[in-house]
Amino acid sequence: MAKEKENELMEKVVSLCKRRGFIFQGSEIYGGLAGTFDYGDLGGELLHNIKNSWWKKFVSSRRDMYGIRAAILMNSKVWEASGHVAGFADPMVECEKCKRRFRADQIEDKEKCAECGGKLGEPKQFNMMFKTQIGAMEDSSATVYLRPETAQGIFSNFKNTVDAYHPKLPFGMAQIGKAFRNEITPRDFIFRCREFEQMEIEYFVREADWQKYFEYFKDQMNEWMEDIGIDMSKVHELEVAPEDLAHYSKRTVDFEFDYPFGKKELFGLAYRGNFDLTNHKLEYVDEEAGEKITPHVIEPSFGVDRAFLALFLSAYNEDTSGEEPRVFLKFKPKMAPILACVSPLLKNKPELVEYAEMKVFTPLKAEFGRIAYDDNGNIGKRYRRQDEIGTPWCIVVDFDTLTDDSVTIRDRDTGTQERVKVSDLSKFIKERLD
Ligand code: GAP
């Protein structure tokens, strides 16, 4: 029963995401492309708010961070040096009968195919990097990989950044961008995709300091999750066992989240030692110590799509106390795709429409951007539509507005209404954004 309820919740979330234009299946009009998703207008806004909040906390508000926007296509020597060509692989088994492929470490019955009952072959290592060809030649010298992590775009610009900005240790470099992995079994909506986005920091420290900064970033990661509105009662830290560490990691703590489909990874924090800089033959002149060193690296790594899913699931609420259940997304105002929706009480009263459009909607839209206008159906239906996409406030222009220049603001979470002067609307919103 519990399992059914969990599946039901995931179905509701997937269907809401599609119906209200948050997320669509990639290439849907041609039957889809497994492991790819397209974000619609509202989904795009939420992604934008997640990425902006991350960049502000971890990069632009700090003096020790340097952003980078590296190319996705990189020289394949990068991936040879990073160990990904040799070691970025998952164990895969293939069914001898139906030829379906599965992650060997994720199946319960190691002998029999879960789909057709056929015999499963021996596990093989399957490299997850997507290959493509650059230029007109199609030989192996033209092979390039789509990056499976944004981290290498950072390491390969370490020297450029040091030469350009002369940062003192400790300092960090950060990047937000697409990553690609040919996952054997993409699944659980946007949890495991083949094309996804990462937000990563490589923080360069002296070896002796690594533990201090590991703990520091663990706290910072928790702080950010809480700040954007992820339900912290569903977040758990997992010390990854030595045998499960990625090939570059000396220590990893995974932040896991209680998704409806189980407790699984949300973000990761790794101590990469000086593995990458050593392999790329990069050094740093430590003026303080008067020597050349290879700094060690603490890596907080965040999946944007998983942040989206965890935030969406944390915000999802159903109020069943009324006649019909009311679904509302309890986003913090600063994260909500739409901040407020403006409506005239009746759409066939030109004086209300003109007031709502000219004196309320237009100036708020110019100031905040994320403002909607809705005059369809009755007020109750408009509230429901906004609740479902997580709009914190519905602003209604009624007949009293024409004489008192005040509007009614209805709160998404409590349903309570208050009267506010039109001249105070901008202040009302701004005060609640931080
Ligand atoms: N640079 C380190 C690194 O890439 P990772 O644990 O493989 O480490 C980091 O990935 C984060 O990227 C994960 O914690 C997760 O949030 C996200 N991620 C990884 N694979 C993903 C996938 N197939 N779909 C969506 N997000 C993914």
Side-chain angles (χ1 to χ4, degrees):
M1 188 58 201
K3 188 96 204 136
E4 266 168 35
K5 274 238 155 355
E6 285 162 3
N7 290 342
E8 207 181 287
L9 171 59
M10 217 39 223
E11 270 168 31
K12 282 180 186 167
V13 165
V14 174
S15 131
L16 174 59
C17 279
K18 177 173 158 80
R19 191 162 43 79
R20 299 306 310 273
F22 282 92
I23 301 177
F24 311 112
Q25 172 66 61
S27 311
E28 192 181 291
I29 59 167
Y30 290 105
L33 181 67
T36 66
F37 293 90
D38 299 339
Y39 288 82
D41 187 52
L42 291 178
E45 281 299 322
L46 187 54
L47 279 185
H48 190 74
N49 295 342
I50 291 172
K51 289 189 274 185
N52 273 354
S53 134
W54 187 90
W55 194 262
K56 187 169 171 210
K57 175 169 177 66
F58 290 106
V59 189
S60 58
S61 70
R62 301 179 56 122
R63 297 174 68 173
D64 58 347
M65 288 285 183
Y66 299 82
I68 188 87
R69 276 89 171 166
I72 289 175
L73 295 175
M74 299 174 80
N75 192 314
S76 39
K77 286 182 184 149
V78 170
W79 304 107
E80 284 160 23
S82 70
H84 284 78
V85 171
F88 194 60
D90 272 342
M92 179 193 74
V93 284
E94 192 176 86
C95 170
E96 289 176 1
K97 194 164 149 206
C98 73
K99 305 289 173 207
R100 279 197 183 85
R101 291 170 167 189
F102 306 92
R103 277 264 301 260
D105 54 347
Q106 284 178 352
I107 49 173
E108 275 161 32
D109 189 337
K110 308 274 179 214
E111 309 281 319
K112 220 162 73 184
C113 172
E115 297 290 335
C116 76
K119 187 173 176 322
L120 293 178
E122 284 300 306
K124 285 186 209 138
Q125 288 300 315
F126 172 77
N127 193 298
M128 289 199 286
M129 285 196 295
F130 280 102
K131 263 188 210 168
T132 188
Q133 306 286 324
I134 202 154
M137 306 289 283
E138 289 215 356
D139 60 26
S140 63
S141 66
T143 297
V144 289
Y145 301 96
L146 300 190
R147 64 183 183 203
E149 60 168 8
T150 54
Q152 297 304 325
I154 296 180
F155 292 124
S156 49
N157 282 286
F158 175 80
K159 184 174 184 311
N160 288 335
T161 301
V162 169
D163 290 349
Y165 305 107
H166 312 288
K168 299 271 167 290
L169 287 178
F171 71 92
M173 291 176 63
Q175 163 151 252
I176 299 182
K178 289 275 188 171
F180 304 84
R181 295 182 190 177
N182 197 359
E183 298 281 356
I184 299 163
T185 43
R187 61 163 70 159
D188 297 323
F189 194 35
I190 54 171
F191 173 78
R192 193 181 303 286
C193 323
R194 289 186 169 130
E195 174 174 341
F196 55 98
E197 219 168 356
Q198 289 185 320
M199 306 184 282
E200 295 199 297
I201 297 165
E202 307 304 325
Y203 199 74
F204 301 100
V205 301
R206 293 187 181 85
E207 183 176 5
D209 293 335
W210 80 264
Q211 266 148 327
K212 178 170 97 186
Y213 288 106
F214 195 93
E215 291 309 314
Y216 167 76
F217 275 107
K218 193 141 65 67
D219 292 346
Q220 291 286 299
M221 291 175 86
N222 275 310
E223 231 176 63
W224 181 72
M225 284 185 256
E226 184 161 11
D227 180 56
I228 63 167
I230 288 181
D231 179 351
M232 295 309 284
S233 71
K234 295 193 166 139
V235 175
H236 314 277
E237 288 176 18
L238 170 84
E239 185 74 45
V240 175
E243 63 274 21
D244 295 333
L245 290 174
H247 65 274
Y248 50 73
S249 177
K250 285 179 181 267
R251 181 185 173 198
T252 295
V253 168
D254 277 349
F255 290 88
E256 296 191 312
F257 184 78
D258 295 320
Y259 302 95
F261 44 84
K263 186 163 85 165
K264 296 199 169 157
E265 182 183 339
L266 173 58
F267 307 136
L269 173 65
Y271 168 45
R272 292 178 80 124
N274 59 5
F275 176 88
D276 301 271
L277 292 186
T278 303
N279 287 356
H280 293 307
K281 301 186 173 52
L282 293 165
E283 285 179 326
Y284 174 87
V285 180
D286 188 352
E287 283 167 8
E288 216 173 87
E291 60 181 4
K292 272 191 183 170
I293 61 164
T294 310
H296 282 231
V297 171
I298 304 297
E299 181 193 60
S301 179
F302 303 70
V304 180
D305 312 77
R306 287 192 193 172
F308 185 112
L309 185 55
L311 188 55
F312 205 96
L313 288 164
S314 302
Y316 188 90
N317 273 279
E318 274 178 30
D319 175 2
T320 48
S321 60
E323 273 172 31
E324 273 178 51
R326 179 174 83 96
V327 170
F328 63 110
L329 299 180
K330 209 170 165 177
F331 291 129
K332 290 191 176 186
K334 65 178 174 185
M335 302 308 291
I338 302 288
L339 273 175
C341 177
V342 178
S343 285
L345 181 65
L346 299 168
K347 77 168 172 184
N348 57 1
K349 296 287 174 196
E351 62 275 37
L352 296 186
V353 171
E354 193 183 326
Y355 197 109
E357 284 191 2
M358 304 308 294
K359 295 197 174 162
V360 184
F361 174 72
T362 305
L364 289 181
K365 183 89 177 152
E367 184 173 358
F368 296 102
R370 296 143 55 198
I371 305 290
Y373 185 89
D374 187 6
D375 60 8
N376 274 320
N378 64 38
I379 283 287
K381 289 210 172 106
R382 293 179 208 163
Y383 289 161
R384 290 293 165 97
R385 276 200 293 275
Q386 295 304 320
D387 288 347
E388 243 191 1
I389 59 169
T391 307
W393 305 293
C394 285
I395 301 172
V396 178
V397 169
D398 57 25
F399 290 103
D400 288 341
T401 311
L402 304 178
T403 51
D404 68 4
D405 286 314
S406 295
V407 285
T408 299
I409 301 188
R410 180 260 190 188
D411 182 271
R412 173 198 65 201
D413 305 335
T414 59
T416 53
Q417 307 199 354
E418 62 182 298
R419 211 64 196 160
V420 173
K421 282 268 173 215
V422 172
S423 54
D424 288 339
L425 278 175
S426 159
K427 191 166 134 245
F428 177 97
I429 294 175
K430 267 198 222 138
E431 277 174 359
R432 286 158 181 79
L433 266 180
D434 290 323

